Amino acid sequence: MSELDRTREFKRAMSQLTSAVNIISTDGPAGKLGLTVSAVCRGSDDPATVIVCINRSSRARDIFVENGRLAVNVLTGNQELLAMHFAGQTGVEMAERFAWDVWSDLDGLPTLRDARVAVAGTIIDRVEHGTHTVLFVAVDELRTRSGRGGLVYDSRSFHQVGSGAY
């Protein structure tokens, strides 16, 4: 199998990996920005750390790294349209996305008021690996909302999961 074929097969296989849908957000000297990502996971319980992966070719990656802080917003099942906006699928400008009355502040970072979980943190380390930058984010503050189902990405589409009224 050629390297190109292996890459295509890997991408196809990974599209079958069900993942929570998140919007990561930041604000600081490099500007305010949000991005839909599915590559987020718990890195450590003690100290509380999350891991976020961003494509190295993305201009957004540099803004998150320069700001040095980010928030992870774990989306609810009814936030698919927000996910699409922050994935750049709707043509809505970034400034307009942050002007909507859905945001609150958590430890100086923009977070979605109705997110299942919002985590504000500081980037404490990063690893450049292949096509992505892996960010290690120390948790500074967090907020949870109970009784809400989640939004996952599987087989290249969004799906609502879990309990809670939408």
Side-chain angles (χ1 to χ4, degrees):
M1 180 181 293
S2 74
E3 190 62 31
L4 181 59
D5 288 339
R6 187 181 348 273
T7 298
R8 284 185 188 136
E9 181 63 14
F10 180 74
K11 285 182 179 182
R12 189 195 66 70
M14 290 298 99
S15 76
Q16 305 300 309
L17 178 65
T18 304
S19 303
V21 180
N22 311 274
I23 293 174
I24 57 172
S25 53
T26 189
D27 195 5
K32 186 182 279 190
L33 184 71
L35 182 67
T36 300
V37 298
S38 58
V40 173
C41 67
R42 177 179 67 202
S44 172
D45 293 334
D46 188 17
T49 308
V50 293
I51 297 171
V52 178
C53 299
I54 303 175
N55 193 300
R56 290 172 71 177
S57 66
S58 169
R59 182 184 73 80
R61 175 242 178 239
D62 296 335
I63 294 170
F64 282 99
V65 168
E66 186 175 331
N67 282 345
R69 297 194 72 228
L70 63 81
V72 175
N73 299 276
V74 181
L75 301 187
T76 64
N78 65 345
Q79 292 178 315
E80 180 178 336
L81 185 56
L82 276 173
M84 292 172 62
H85 288 311
F86 282 90
Q89 296 176 347
T90 62
V92 175
E93 296 295 321
M94 191 65 64
E96 184 179 342
R97 297 174 205 171
F98 280 106
W100 297 326
D101 186 29
V102 296
W103 297 97
S104 63
D105 180 273
L106 182 63
D107 199 38
L109 290 168
T111 55
L112 290 166
R113 200 171 27 252
D114 291 334
R116 291 182 89 191
V117 176
V119 175
T122 302
I123 299 170
I124 56 171
D125 199 4
R126 77 174 196 252
V127 174
E128 306 297 331
H129 182 75
T131 57
H132 283 69
T133 298
V134 182
L135 302 174
F136 294 82
V137 181
V139 175
D140 298 322
E141 294 285 336
L142 62 89
R143 179 182 66 234
T144 61
R145 306 268 191 237
S146 61
R148 296 170 187 248
L151 184 66
V152 298
Y153 196 70
D154 180 75
S155 302
R156 295 191 170 97
S157 63
F158 296 105
H159 305 274
Q160 294 181 9
V161 296
S163 64
Y166 296 107

